[in-house]
Structure formats: C-alpha cells, structure tokens
Amino acid sequence: MAKRRAVVTGASSGIGEAAVRALRAGGWDVVGVARRADRLAALEAETGAVAFAADLTADADVEALAGFLADSGPVHALVHVAGGARGTDRVEDGNVSDWQWMFDVNVLSAQRLVAALMPQLRRAAASDGHADTLFVTSTAAQTAYAGGAGYNAAKAGEAMIAHALRLELNGEPIRVIEVAPGMVHTPEFTLNRLGGDSAAAERVYDGVENPLTADDVADVIAYALNAPGHVNLDLITMRPVAQSAQHLLARGALRPRGTEEL
C-alpha cells in the first residue's frame, strides 16, 4: 500500500499545527493548509510537511488546493481543523458579521473541502483500501451555553455535515470521524474570540487543573486515523477531567473527596 497522505487545515497554529506534527511523527505525508504562509513555511522546515497557503472561505483558493493535491499525489485523509469563534454576545445582541464569519469558517469551509476533495478521497480508497474525513468540532456543538449561541450554531452545523456525510457515504470505504474537544488551552482560540484581550482570555483558564492541550487533541486525531480501516470512531468527545460537562468546571486542585487534610 502506498504511504498515506493527509491534508490538515488550520495548520498554522493550535490543534491543526499539533496534528501535522503528530501525523508526521507517525509516518504520514502531510499537506498543511492555512492562510498564514510564514507560519506554514516554518512548520514545513521543522516537520517536512508540505505547506499550502489558502483561505478556505474563498472558492478559488479551495479549487487551487484541490488542483495542487491532484497533481502531487493521493489524498487518503482530510483533517478539517480550521474554524474559530468570535464574540460572546447574547442572541439578541449578536453581531451578524461575527455570526456570518463563524458560519463561513466552520460550516461552509467544511462543505467546500468535501466537495472539492471527495473525488480524490474516492480514488485513494479504491487503490489503498480506505480513506478518511475527520472534522474537529467542539462540545459547543452538543450543549448550548449563554453567550455562545453563534459558536454553538456554527459548530453544530459542522457536526451535522459529518453526521449526514457518514450516511451519504454508506457502502463506501470512507470513514467519517468527528472529534469534539471541550476546554483546550491554545495560544489563539480564546484570545481571538475575545478580541485580543489577553487578560480576559487567561481568566477563562484560571484555576483549571490541566486543561486539554493541542497535543492531546492531536494524539486522538492520529489514533483515530491510524485505527484499522474497518473501525470508524464516529464521535470522540474529549474533555479535561476538571470539566465534567460544558457547564460544570472545577477550578482548583483535583483531589478525592474526604482527603482534604491528607
């Protein structure tokens, strides 16, 4: 079987960047996709991944990516990490441009990529046994919270793409995997959501023992893709132990009950 190649979006930072490293360490060929060419170039030099700068909200960029991939080798896996959140507005106060941006980068980018790359995924599945699509959504797709409606809606929309796609691909050897992380402490996600307010961004994580890291999520992505081809991990929900549910977060040291004085 040919060496497997994955396309990883959002590769210039956070979970996407970590996924590129994890897959390269596991022997995959990787094409890292993001808007920031300078960050991609540094990742390419470090890991040997191939960099491709593209804005996934632009049809022409996605078409160019598909053309590049078709000319350079098979596509065994699409790992769609790119996305993001803007704002914490109540529904009645929502900024329509922020909500529109979230829908475009989280939902429409996923549809664009699937439409553009499915023929190549099918060819790889035909020649090498199976292919994969993997979407990194969020626990925000599963449970609403006050101030999160725009992001809740966008990530739920992306999750529904994965759910519907799995049904549509029934009978084909193409896996559809969803990884839904809870609290992940990455350098940019919350900072961008809060408009660059670094103090407010750090307060989100204050006192939380061991939030997830980008590497934690990347390990799960690599595990799912490296599982035997007949095994589909439909939905992986992952949270730090301190976060029992979307709304229930422990701040302070974790310890067994009744051991406070030990």
Side-chain angles (χ1 to χ4, degrees), residues 98-112:
D98 285 348
W99 285 46
Q100 199 161 36
W101 179 86
M102 286 187 282
F103 192 82
D104 207 7
V105 302
N106 292 289
V107 181
L108 295 182
S109 64
Q111 189 278 328
R112 287 185 182 96

Side-chain angles (χ1 to χ4, degrees), residues 3 37 43 53 74 87-88 114-115 177 188 196 199 202 214 235 243 247 262:
K3 190 172 186 179
L43 186 63
T88 56
V114 169
I177 302 160
E188 295 187 357
E202 283 306 309
L235 170 61
Q243 187 183 32
H247 65 284
L262 295 180

Side-chain angles (χ1 to χ4, degrees), residues 52-68 112 116:
F52 191 93
D55 179 350
L56 300 179
T57 68
D59 290 343
D61 281 19
V62 175
E63 290 170 7
L65 171 63
F68 168 79
R112 287 185 182 96

